[in-house]
Amino acid sequence: MEGYLKKWTNLFSRWQDRYFILNEEVLVYCDSQGGQIKGQVHLKVAALILVPEDPLRIIINTGTTEIHLRASNINEKIDWINALKQAQDKCLSRQNEIKFEQKIQELLTDVWQTGAIFDETLSMLIPKLEKNSQIKEMADRLESIGKNLKTKITLCAQIVEEEKQKLSNIDNGTVYESFIHQNSAQSVLREESLNHQHHQSHGQQQLMSVSEIGQQIREHQPIKYNNLINNPAFQKSKFTNQSKRDRLPYRKDPNEKINVWLLCKELIGKDLGRFSVPIILNEPLSMLQRLAEQMEYSESLEEADKIQGDSALRMCYIMGFGVSPYSANIGRTKKPFNPILGETYEIQTQNCRFISEQVSHHPPISAGYAESKAFQFWAHTDVQTKFNGLCFQVNPVGLFNVILKSSNDHYQFNRCTTKVQNILWGQQYLDHMGQMKFVNLTTGDNGVLELIEKSGKSESEMRGYVKDKNGNEKYKLKGFWNDRLIAYDSQREIIVWKRHQLPQDSDWYYNFTEFAMQLNHLTIDMIKDLPCTDCRLRPDQLAFENGWVDLASSEKHRLEEKQRARRKAMAAANQVHVPMFFEEMIDPKTNLKWYKYKGNYFQQQWKQVGSELLDLF
């Protein structure tokens, strides 16, 4: 349930409208619908209090504070009270079920331990009894009964263990919720309604298992076939040829809390590029896909390429393109997966096509290249990440490059510093700060965009300028990296970049944009056509996207161990990894390292060297 209620703030501001959202037993509120979360209340530790003299008021007492709310009418108040009480009741039932599950586990443990003691005692007793001929027959009978009893107890315990495991694996969470889901007509109808809407919007789609798909690639792509057909994450999954999706397969609670105190000791002061981060701190995308997100606003480059006679305005659109990815990071406080050396990713949109590859392991470097009729783009992400106990900090090292084909202008720009604040307490948020410097290597135009660190009322603000090669200012720029960038001179204002709207319920899907929602989408045709190194074929990422956290964690560990073994084998053979689709170069204009795309990927040219593709997964 969600909607506006009045909330008492203080003696000066008094009652103010706040937008409340009830997610299971957590009530969160924002200044307005779609705004940043300002606070939350856990109903399992709260008391609901009614005020007879004020029939529209609801008081929520958390034990440490009281929150006063007012509905607009009595019916609205009743709806909210019922919803809040139902949330509390469900939370209580869930707690009871957790205790019930613990009791089952304790009993099973006791059964196995008692059985082991019985078996040990019997094995010691039988030889002693057999020494006495008078009671040997009784000893034989006791041994027979003991073995039979042990077999029956073992079988019974195994059945209970298996049934418990089946119930705990159901996506709905606890055993209690599983029974509720199976027996609630309302849940069934709601699920059928969602499926009906899904099929209406996308058409009926044929579901195929990986074993069915695998038969079509078995002969020509043996590496991919073996990796898919034998992996539990792919065995559990079904695939369609649905071209686009509006949700991920698993809803992630946006208010889920992580016990970061258990992580601090191991993480503080470490370079996270070299540390195996617990999977719960990840989002189901890799750094290769994060680099591909730069293409979400490629229309800015298309617009820049159309501009004739005003190189400074072209620069303004390039700056809008350069800052655009930060808008996709709002609310995304999770870390992308570190790609395995040699891992790849491709995406083709209506405007352009993009390929990326992990070209270095230490330091971790992802190289990317994109092209269209209007532009060429290339970049590599050499980032340094740190955790100081209060925030994660990401410092990019590589440069981004763009060439506009109409003017042949070559642009370079850097990325600024990003911090994930309030790791240990408070509402987590991302902040981007520092200077982004842009230069047109062809004309000498240059620009600076300053992203201002959050302080007081200043939030997401940026401002800058564009100058020609003689230092004359041509445009000023202002805006917010979570909204838009505006270029202006003495005569006009031009919106050179504007943020796309987020999809519905995006907070339940890692706050992904519509573009990001498609990046890990895997169809039947993609499974057939993608190289076996594509990160959509990574089992840990697939499992994590589906909410199978334990499986994802074990697969992540397996892949890391496989990568270490490969690295040791190459070192022993005195071999060095050579990227398949990029080669390291030195830019003669800047004397900086960059990675040149070899031109051997698109049109599926990689199939010509299919036997040389790496077995990564």
Side-chain angles (χ1 to χ4, degrees):
M1 183 173 180
E2 58 185 85
Y4 280 98
L5 291 170
K6 296 283 187 183
K7 179 180 179 294
W8 178 264
T9 54
N10 53 55
L11 289 173
F12 298 100
S13 301
R14 299 182 66 79
W15 296 96
Q16 295 291 325
D17 284 329
R18 295 290 184 263
Y19 194 79
F20 286 82
I21 304 171
L22 179 60
N23 288 324
E24 295 186 352
E25 74 273 10
V26 180
L27 182 68
V28 300
Y29 60 89
C30 322
D31 285 338
S32 59
Q33 185 176 6
Q36 186 175 355
I37 294 175
K38 306 293 288 186
Q40 60 184 10
V41 180
H42 291 269
L43 296 174
K44 64 182 178 182
V45 295
L48 302 178
I49 303 172
L50 303 182
V51 184
E53 58 269 24
D54 188 351
L56 299 181
R57 185 179 299 197
I58 304 170
I59 300 176
I60 303 176
N61 189 314
T62 66
T64 58
T65 186
E66 283 190 347
I67 298 176
H68 290 248
L69 310 175
R70 290 194 70 188
S72 58
N73 55 64
I74 194 67
N75 290 331
E76 185 179 66
K77 176 193 172 181
I78 292 172
D79 289 341
W80 273 104
I81 286 291
N82 289 337
L84 294 171
K85 286 184 175 180
Q86 287 175 7
Q88 284 188 320
D89 291 342
K90 185 175 181 180
C91 180
L92 180 61
S93 298
R94 187 196 261 144
Q95 289 175 330
N96 291 337
E97 175 57 28
I98 291 172
K99 294 177 183 177
F100 180 65
E101 275 195 284
Q102 290 173 346
K103 186 64 176 176
I104 293 176
Q105 189 59 54
E106 289 169 2
L107 288 172
L108 282 170
T109 302
D110 191 43
V111 166
W112 293 119
Q113 290 176 346
T114 304
I117 293 170
F118 177 80
D119 190 40
E120 183 181 1
T121 304
L122 191 63
S123 64
M124 293 171 61
L125 181 60
I126 294 298
K128 293 180 181 180
L129 293 176
E130 288 178 340
K131 290 179 181 179
N132 190 328
S133 59
Q134 295 180 352
I135 58 174
K136 186 177 185 304
E137 184 179 348
M138 186 182 296
D140 292 340
R141 186 179 178 189
L142 180 61
E143 183 178 18
S144 176
I145 294 172
K147 287 182 178 179
N148 187 41
L149 181 62
K150 179 187 173 184
T151 301
K152 295 292 178 63
I153 291 175
T154 300
L155 180 60
C156 179
Q158 285 177 341
I159 291 172
V160 173
E161 187 82 56
E162 289 170 3
E163 292 303 314
K164 174 181 172 292
Q165 188 63 37
K166 288 177 184 178
L167 288 172
S168 64
N169 283 340
I170 294 176
D171 291 340
N172 297 310
T174 67
V175 177
Y176 172 80
E177 287 177 320
S178 301
F179 282 120
I180 290 298
H181 176 77
Q182 290 173 14
N183 293 285
S184 169
Q186 184 176 2
S187 295
V188 172
L189 289 173
R190 184 164 56 249
E191 189 69 27
E192 288 178 352
S193 175
L194 285 172
N195 289 336
H196 180 67
Q197 293 174 12
H198 187 69
H199 287 308
Q200 277 189 327
S201 32
H202 300 289
Q204 295 291 335
Q205 295 288 339
Q206 180 186 4
L207 287 169
M208 289 186 70
S209 67
V210 72
S211 59
E212 294 174 300
I213 303 170
Q215 299 307 316
Q216 302 176 43
I217 63 174
R218 183 173 186 173
E219 181 179 350
H220 302 291
Q221 302 179 62
I223 294 175
K224 186 197 297 185
Y225 171 78
N226 289 329
N227 287 342
L228 296 180
I229 206 72
N230 297 315
N231 189 272
F234 280 93
Q235 289 172 351
K236 290 178 68 171
S237 303
K238 296 285 187 179
F239 303 93
T240 72
N241 263 331
Q242 178 185 318
S243 60
K244 192 175 181 180
R245 62 183 180 180
D246 55 8
R247 61 174 69 89
L248 299 183
Y250 175 75
R251 284 167 61 88
K252 180 75 169 177
D253 185 355
N255 301 302
E256 179 186 66
K257 293 297 181 183
I258 298 172
N259 190 351
V260 293
W261 294 103
L262 299 178
L263 307 175
C264 288
K265 185 178 179 181
E266 296 185 44
L267 293 182
I268 291 176
K270 298 267 181 91
D271 180 352
L272 298 185
R274 291 177 174 265
F275 187 81
S276 181
V277 176
I279 202 164
I280 54 173
L281 296 181
N282 284 93
E283 65 176 18
L285 288 178
S286 79
M287 184 59 79
L288 294 171
Q289 292 162 312
R290 274 291 188 98
L291 183 55
E293 285 192 70
Q294 184 77 57
M295 293 297 104
E296 178 172 359
Y297 293 92
S298 60
E299 66 262 22
S300 294
L301 300 183
E302 304 280 341
E303 290 298 319
D305 191 59
K306 295 175 185 177
I307 297 171
Q308 303 293 323
D310 191 345
S311 63
L313 184 57
R314 288 200 295 271
M315 172 69 84
C316 292
Y317 277 93
I318 297 295
M319 294 169 78
F321 169 77
V323 79
S324 64
Y326 295 129
S327 68
N329 291 340
I330 299 170
R332 289 170 65 178
T333 56
K334 304 290 187 180
K335 184 181 185 294
F337 278 69
N338 282 335
I340 296 171
L341 185 63
E343 192 172 325
T344 63
Y345 181 73
E346 70 154 287
I347 187 171
Q348 301 198 36
T349 70
Q350 292 181 343
N351 298 327
C352 67
R353 55 189 185 183
F354 172 91
I355 165 67
S356 56
E357 180 181 6
Q358 190 72 1
V359 295
S360 172
H361 183 64
H362 286 316
I365 298 177
S366 304
Y369 172 83
E371 64 182 19
S372 77
K373 295 179 180 179
F375 66 86
Q376 284 180 291
F377 163 88
W378 67 92
H380 68 274
T381 58
D382 185 357
V383 299
Q384 298 173 350
T385 53
K386 292 287 185 180
F387 176 53
N388 65 10
L390 297 176
C391 72
F392 287 120
Q393 180 171 313
V394 180
N395 298 310
V397 179
L399 289 175
F400 285 53
N401 291 262
V402 173
I403 290 180
L404 297 180
K405 293 186 176 179
S406 294
S407 60
N408 203 34
D409 285 354
H410 181 182
Y411 302 87
Q412 283 188 337
F413 61 91
N414 67 291
R415 303 291 293 274
C416 67
T417 296
T418 296
K419 288 184 179 180
V420 183
Q421 302 282 15
N422 291 344
I423 294 296
L424 298 182
W425 52 76
Q427 182 67 34
Q428 290 185 15
Y429 67 92
L430 280 171
D431 199 10
H432 307 287
M433 62 202 69
Q435 287 190 345
M436 296 180 67
K437 296 181 179 180
F438 298 76
V439 60
N440 185 332
L441 298 175
T442 305
T443 66
D445 294 346
N446 64 89
V448 172
L449 203 54
E450 178 87 23
L451 279 70
I452 301 169
E453 185 173 2
K454 181 179 180 180
S455 61
K457 294 184 178 180
S458 176
E459 183 176 352
S460 310
E461 186 179 356
M462 56 183 178
R463 51 178 176 259
Y465 60 80
V466 173
K467 295 181 179 180
D468 64 18
K469 64 180 180 181
N470 298 317
N472 300 315
E473 187 173 275
K474 295 296 185 179
Y475 288 94
K476 290 185 181 296
L477 295 112
K478 62 180 180 180
F480 299 89
W481 52 260
N482 63 354
D483 183 30
R484 67 189 65 195
L485 181 64
I486 301 172
Y488 62 99
D489 56 16
S490 58
Q491 298 179 334
R492 57 179 177 166
E493 290 189 357
I494 304 169
I495 298 175
V496 293
W497 165 77
K498 186 177 180 181
R499 179 192 178 196
H500 298 156
Q501 191 139 15
L502 285 172
Q504 187 177 6
D505 295 332
S506 63
D507 56 331
W508 285 84
Y509 303 111
Y510 298 90
N511 288 293
F512 282 177
T513 65
E514 183 179 343
F515 187 86
M517 198 84 73
Q518 317 309 319
L519 293 178
N520 208 47
H521 182 41
L522 187 59
T523 67
I524 296 169
D525 287 343
M526 286 180 183
I527 292 176
K528 297 175 185 177
D529 295 337
L530 290 173
C532 62
T533 54
D534 193 282
C535 60
R536 278 164 289 202
L537 302 177
R538 277 189 66 157
D540 55 347
Q541 209 166 288
L542 174 72
F544 192 62
E545 186 183 73
N546 279 277
W548 307 324
V549 178
D550 290 341
L551 176 58
S553 185
S554 63
E555 282 296 297
K556 180 173 179 283
H557 177 72
R558 181 183 66 82
L559 293 181
E560 288 169 350
E561 288 299 311
K562 187 173 183 177
Q563 180 175 223
R564 291 188 186 99
R566 174 178 163 240
R567 191 164 63 248
K568 288 180 181 178
M570 291 183 66
N574 201 25
Q575 296 176 340
V576 178
H577 174 79
V578 178
M580 183 164 290
F581 304 111
F582 291 85
E583 58 182 328
E584 185 178 323
M585 307 286 287
I586 299 297
D587 190 331
K589 296 180 180 178
T590 62
N591 204 35
L592 295 175
K593 178 176 69 176
W594 66 290
Y595 288 87
K596 179 183 178 182
Y597 169 57
K598 295 180 182 179
N600 58 343
Y601 183 90
F602 296 120
Q603 292 83 43
Q604 298 188 346
Q605 293 180 25
W606 56 265
K607 285 188 175 180
Q608 299 173 15
V609 291
S611 60
E612 300 175 24
L613 290 175
L614 299 170
D615 178 8
L616 302 180
F617 310 139

